[in-house]
Amino acid sequence: MEWTREKRYLPYNEWDADTLMHLQSQASRSNYQMRYHLRPISGLVNDPNGFSYYNSEYHVFYQSYPFGAVHGLKSWVHFKSQDLVHWERQGLAIEPSFKGDSHGAYSGSAKQIGDKLFIMYTGNHRSEDWIRTPYQISAWMNKDGVVSDKEILFKNPSHITEHFRDPQIIEKDGTYYAILGAQDEQNKKGHVDIWKSQNLKDWEEIGFLNFTDEDMGYMIECPNLVQVDDKWVLIFCPQGLNKSVANYQNIYPNMYVIADDIDFENAKMINPSKLKNLDEGFDVYATQAFNAPDGKAYEISWVGLPDITYPTDDENWANCLSQVKELSIKDGKLIQKPVKSIESIRKTESKLTDKLIKNTTSGQYELKLTIAKNQSTTLHLAANKDLSDSLILNIDTNDGKLVLDRSKGKKVAVDYGETRSCEIDSNESVDLDIFVDHSLIEIFVNDGEHVLTGRFFTNPENQKISFDKDTDFTGKFWEMETIF
Ligand code: FRU
């Protein structure tokens, strides 16, 4: 089928129910489908949205195009959870319904205000001659999960181009602030733009956030501010960033800076660090973080990238979300750990001793390993019998290096390289907490000092986990329950 513009933007009610059911069954039957991560019911998933705590539950939404593996008319699909692991699907929450979001309910955020969940997002509007206006919109969700009262708040001011989106709502000292990704009209460069309001209706621009002296490329998407320990962390996605500013391999990186404080009124981060990659793997983007009422900082990411195709496009579905991670800071670095409650979906524990670690019976498991020092070894995951088809992890505790290699199996984004690496301490043992969910891997190194996330597409029948040589290690293994 050819994805014409007309087709991509066809209103949802003009698609027939049989087509949708067929797409849903295709997505749920796929051997590459995730079973304990948020995944598409059908079609394409991208950014997490509205990650929040409301009415004594956690909420997250994702960007969805339900009719195929393309970026078409976007809506928000809602999930809620008591523990950030067991998510219940609530269904479509925001779909294009008025001029403000006629060509897509794009990304945004949410925050409990009074007894409702206040939602702020970007409505993508296009005129008949396809000129885009980005409207920043508010809406309110009640305890029954019904979203109503959509209202346009503001659009791009004249010094900002049509690239103006993804508002994050924050409250500080009784004032509301919205943080948006923007491109300036004059130089066509990426910025984080700050707005403020006292009543959530009348908004005024403060200006571009000063957090670096470097050129941030041509656009910044999905900026997020979160308080971690006693610091402020800005998480954002610069597009067109020069690699001399901060090195990265993915088409667009997801980066962060840590600052001592933030002065909202003067749009300034105090003593910001250099840019760092949030994830050292292949596919993390559009991460959203928020401070829960208990003071903890949590994040969740899109596992997928803009302008990249994936092998499951052939099955008409694409992408998923990461597991939720808890944030802290150690020695000026962001630490990202699995939430404690992920342990609740572990099945029976097995201890591992042999070189052949395991023949799994399902592709969804957690593998915790400590590799002793002075080892230079290769771990094959999702491997066939002779280890010729596998996801490869090279572990060198002599020189201090990990390399994740997805060159086997179906090809993904090969123009951006088939390996990702991360430095670890040389002459030290290393702890790896590895989560595999069919075609998704998340590797937490040394208790969250590094995370490498990626999709991989080896033969789904491959069930073997094995080192290629005798390795000095200890380990534990659990299959994981199915959530979806
Ligand atoms: C990032 C992004 C956002 C936008 C959304 C649309 O992946 O491009 O900037 O709001 O996706 O789906």
Side-chain angles (χ1 to χ4, degrees), residues 291-309:
N291 289 107
D294 62 7
K296 290 188 174 172
Y298 296 111
E299 65 169 9
I300 187 166
S301 309
W302 175 25
V303 185
L305 289 166
D307 306 323
I308 295 292
T309 56

Side-chain angles (χ1 to χ4, degrees), residues 44-49 63-64 71-76 104-108 121-122 124 132 163-167 181 219-223 237 239 252 285-286 302 304-306:
L44 177 143
V45 159
N46 58 301
D47 314 356
N49 292 159
Q63 285 279 287
S64 160
H71 290 268
L73 187 63
K74 295 287 173 72
S75 56
W76 287 36
Y106 277 11
S107 287
Y121 69 99
T122 300
N124 185 46
R132 188 210 298 259
H163 294 293
F164 182 52
R165 54 183 174 264
D166 312 335
M219 176 58 183
I220 288 179
E221 293 190 313
C222 303
C237 300
Q239 297 190 322
Y252 311 118
Y285 197 75
W302 175 25
L305 289 166

